[in-house]
Amino acid sequence: MKYVAMIYGNQAKWDAFPAEAWPEAIARQEAFNRRYRETGELLGAYGLADAAAAMLVRRESGTPTVTDGPYLETKEYLASFYLLDCDSLERAQAIAADMPFADTDPVELWPVLHESAADM
Protein backbone atom coordinates (compact mmCIF):
# COMPACT_ATOMS: atom_id res chain seq x y z
CA MET A 1 0.00 0.00 0.00
CA LYS A 2 1.27 3.46 -0.84
CA TYR A 3 1.11 6.45 1.49
CA VAL A 4 1.92 10.14 1.18
CA ALA A 5 3.59 11.67 4.23
CA MET A 6 3.40 15.45 4.29
CA ILE A 7 5.31 18.07 6.24
CA TYR A 8 3.91 21.57 6.67
CA GLY A 9 5.79 24.78 7.35
CA ASN A 10 5.70 28.53 7.08
CA GLN A 11 8.18 31.33 6.54
CA ALA A 12 8.16 32.34 10.20
CA LYS A 13 9.17 28.78 11.18
CA TRP A 14 12.04 28.73 8.67
CA ASP A 15 13.21 32.20 9.71
CA ALA A 16 13.21 31.19 13.40
CA PHE A 17 15.33 28.09 12.77
CA PRO A 18 18.96 28.94 13.64
CA ALA A 19 21.18 29.11 10.55
CA GLU A 20 23.88 27.03 12.25
CA ALA A 21 21.36 24.21 12.85
CA TRP A 22 20.49 23.74 9.15
CA PRO A 23 23.48 21.52 8.21
CA GLU A 24 22.65 19.01 10.96
CA ALA A 25 18.92 19.12 10.13
CA ILE A 26 19.62 18.43 6.47
CA ALA A 27 22.05 15.62 7.35
CA ARG A 28 19.42 13.99 9.61
CA GLN A 29 16.82 14.22 6.84
CA GLU A 30 19.19 12.79 4.24
CA ALA A 31 20.04 9.88 6.59
CA PHE A 32 16.31 9.20 6.99
CA ASN A 33 15.84 9.33 3.20
CA ARG A 34 18.79 7.00 2.57
CA ARG A 35 17.66 4.49 5.23
CA TYR A 36 14.17 4.08 3.76
CA ARG A 37 15.27 4.22 0.13
CA GLU A 38 17.52 1.28 0.92
CA THR A 39 14.57 -0.71 2.31
CA GLY A 40 12.57 0.17 -0.80
CA GLU A 41 9.85 1.81 1.27
CA LEU A 42 10.68 5.41 0.31
CA LEU A 43 9.81 5.89 -3.34
CA GLY A 44 10.46 9.64 -3.39
CA ALA A 45 11.15 12.62 -1.16
CA TYR A 46 10.33 16.08 -2.46
CA GLY A 47 10.95 19.49 -0.93
CA LEU A 48 8.74 22.26 -2.29
CA ALA A 49 9.51 25.91 -2.97
CA ASP A 50 8.27 28.61 -0.64
CA ALA A 51 4.58 29.47 -0.87
CA ALA A 52 5.47 32.71 -2.66
CA ALA A 53 6.50 30.59 -5.67
CA ALA A 54 3.19 28.68 -5.82
CA MET A 55 0.75 29.43 -8.63
CA LEU A 56 -2.75 28.50 -9.67
CA VAL A 57 -3.36 27.33 -13.22
CA ARG A 58 -6.80 27.30 -14.77
CA ARG A 59 -8.09 26.89 -18.30
CA GLU A 60 -10.20 29.73 -19.64
CA SER A 61 -11.50 29.46 -23.21
CA GLY A 62 -8.93 26.75 -23.91
CA THR A 63 -5.98 28.85 -22.74
CA PRO A 64 -3.96 28.45 -19.54
CA THR A 65 -4.51 31.27 -17.06
CA VAL A 66 -1.92 31.54 -14.28
CA THR A 67 -2.33 33.51 -11.05
CA ASP A 68 -0.34 33.70 -7.84
CA GLY A 69 -1.02 30.93 -5.33
CA PRO A 70 -1.25 29.06 -3.12
CA TYR A 71 -4.87 28.03 -3.36
CA LEU A 72 -5.54 27.95 0.38
CA GLU A 73 -5.44 31.08 2.47
CA THR A 74 -3.40 29.74 5.35
CA LYS A 75 -0.28 30.54 7.35
CA GLU A 76 1.11 27.05 6.87
CA TYR A 77 1.67 25.35 3.55
CA LEU A 78 2.90 22.04 2.22
CA ALA A 79 6.69 22.18 2.51
CA SER A 80 7.64 18.63 1.50
CA PHE A 81 6.12 15.25 0.81
CA TYR A 82 7.29 11.66 0.73
CA LEU A 83 5.86 8.75 -1.21
CA LEU A 84 6.03 5.53 0.79
CA ASP A 85 5.28 1.94 -0.20
CA CYS A 86 4.69 -0.14 2.94
CA ASP A 87 3.34 -3.56 3.79
CA SER A 88 0.97 -2.14 6.39
CA LEU A 89 -0.50 1.02 7.84
CA GLU A 90 1.44 0.36 11.03
CA ARG A 91 4.72 0.31 9.09
CA ALA A 92 3.85 3.60 7.35
CA GLN A 93 3.04 5.13 10.74
CA ALA A 94 6.36 3.92 12.16
CA ILE A 95 8.29 5.46 9.25
CA ALA A 96 6.40 8.74 9.59
CA ALA A 97 7.16 8.80 13.32
CA ASP A 98 10.84 8.22 12.51
CA MET A 99 11.09 11.45 10.49
CA PRO A 100 13.68 13.73 12.12
CA PHE A 101 11.25 16.43 13.27
CA ALA A 102 8.27 14.21 14.14
CA ASP A 103 9.01 14.82 17.81
CA THR A 104 8.19 18.53 17.40
CA ASP A 105 5.95 18.71 14.30
CA PRO A 106 3.33 16.20 13.16
CA VAL A 107 3.60 14.34 9.88
CA GLU A 108 0.34 14.08 7.96
CA LEU A 109 -0.11 10.58 6.52
CA TRP A 110 -2.58 9.81 3.72
CA PRO A 111 -3.25 6.43 2.10
CA VAL A 112 -3.01 6.54 -1.68
CA LEU A 113 -6.19 4.90 -2.97
CA HIS A 114 -5.13 4.30 -6.57
CA GLU A 115 -2.60 5.30 -9.18
CA SER A 116 -2.79 5.59 -12.92
CA ALA A 117 -1.63 2.54 -14.81
CA ALA A 118 1.93 3.06 -16.08
CA ASP A 119 1.26 1.36 -19.41
CA MET A 120 -1.55 3.68 -20.54
Side-chain angles (χ1 to χ4, degrees):
M1 177 87 181
K2 290 187 176 71
Y3 297 87
V4 173
M6 297 180 289
I7 306 295
Y8 290 88
N10 61 56
Q11 196 58 48
K13 180 188 281 187
W14 310 141
D15 291 345
F17 198 79
E20 65 275 6
W22 278 110
E24 179 189 350
I26 292 168
R28 289 175 58 204
Q29 191 61 54
E30 286 303 320
F32 169 89
N33 294 347
R34 190 171 34 261
R35 181 169 48 254
Y36 292 107
R37 277 191 180 110
E38 288 173 358
T39 68
E41 294 167 304
L42 177 62
L43 302 180
Y46 309 92
L48 303 179
D50 187 77
M55 62 200 82
L56 301 173
V57 180
R58 293 180 173 82
R59 185 179 57 248
E60 293 179 5
S61 302
T63 304
T65 301
V66 181
T67 57
D68 290 340
Y71 183 73
L72 299 174
E73 293 295 325
T74 182
K75 290 181 182 178
E76 291 205 337
Y77 53 84
L78 184 61
S80 59
F81 66 96
Y82 305 80
L83 183 58
L84 306 173
D85 191 1
C86 302
D87 290 334
S88 68
L89 172 60
E90 292 77 15
R91 180 62 179 157
Q93 291 168 338
I95 292 171
D98 195 34
M99 286 196 179
F101 293 99
D103 56 341
T104 58
D105 293 301
V107 176
E108 194 168 300
L109 189 64
W110 288 61
V112 175
L113 296 181
H114 60 86
E115 65 183 287
S116 178
D119 61 349
M120 295 188 112

